[in-house]
Amino acid sequence: MKKIIIVALAIFSLQSCISVRVNADVDSRASFSNAETPNITAEGTFFENGVKDSKWSNSNGSNWTKAKFENATGTTYIKLKTKKSLKVDFRSVIHTEGDLAFEIIDANKVVLYASNADTEEGRFSVNFPKEGEYQVRWKSTSATGNYFLEWKEK
């Protein structure tokens, strides 16, 4: 009987560790963590002409992207593919030293949203006028810090 209890406790403890590890990448700053995005898919992160950086790390989910970097120079982006015209709510948390410009563009490079804030926590909405592929781009010059961006369909 003692062995069964010990094994049960060990399995329960292991399950707790596994669930913590699996969810460890979800950012603690997330507000839209339960958001459904059936009409949006995300891909990335991509590096345009590479990025010069001493310690780049990033991760992405179905409705969020985040990165941490030191002395980064270059452009990175994710692709958002929409299945129809829709309005999307975004929430950003940006903390950087150096230059970091953020924008959302369409396939013709028309800017739908842009920001140049070093430190910013905010919400904004973007109208995606049609089904298609869009880019969320981060242009950095000697930037150190991090960003977190999440989205949900309106």
Side-chain angles (χ1 to χ4, degrees):
M1 186 67 170
K2 286 183 183 180
K3 286 183 181 181
I4 292 172
I5 292 172
I6 291 171
V7 170
L9 287 172
I11 290 171
F12 177 74
S13 295
L14 182 59
Q15 285 177 337
S16 296
C17 291
I18 290 171
S19 65
V20 169
R21 182 66 183 138
V22 169
N23 294 323
D25 207 27
V26 176
D27 199 279
S28 62
R29 300 170 285 189
S31 292
F32 301 160
S33 58
N34 296 324
E36 297 287 328
T37 57
N39 296 300
I40 305 170
T41 56
E43 292 179 33
T45 299
F46 302 95
F47 296 87
E48 187 174 276
N49 302 318
V51 171
K52 295 178 184 174
D53 170 64
S54 57
K55 293 183 181 178
W56 176 273
S57 67
N58 69 282
S59 57
N60 303 304
S62 62
N63 74 321
W64 57 270
T65 184
K66 69 178 182 176
K68 184 176 180 181
F69 41 87
E70 289 184 21
N71 199 27
T73 298
T75 300
T76 65
Y77 62 95
I78 63 167
K79 295 177 184 178
L80 292 182
K81 294 181 182 178
T82 62
K83 294 181 181 177
K84 64 179 188 174
S85 169
L86 66 140
K87 188 171 188 175
V88 178
D89 288 336
F90 288 86
R91 184 174 161 275
S92 65
V93 181
I94 302 169
H95 298 284
T96 62
E97 293 177 13
D99 295 324
L100 181 70
F102 159 67
E103 66 184 6
I104 299 174
I105 62 171
D106 69 11
N108 296 318
K109 298 191 182 316
V110 173
V111 177
L112 304 177
Y113 178 83
S115 174
N116 273 336
D118 291 338
T119 300
E120 173 181 275
E121 294 187 31
R123 294 174 185 255
F124 59 94
S125 296
V126 174
N127 288 313
F128 291 87
K130 61 182 179 178
E131 173 185 357
E133 186 173 292
Y134 300 85
Q135 290 184 1
V136 179
R137 301 172 60 82
W138 306 89
K139 298 177 185 178
S140 59
T141 305
S142 301
T144 296
N146 62 75
Y147 64 75
F148 173 74
L149 179 72
E150 62 183 336
W151 54 89
K152 67 178 180 178
E153 294 181 33
K154 190 139 182 137

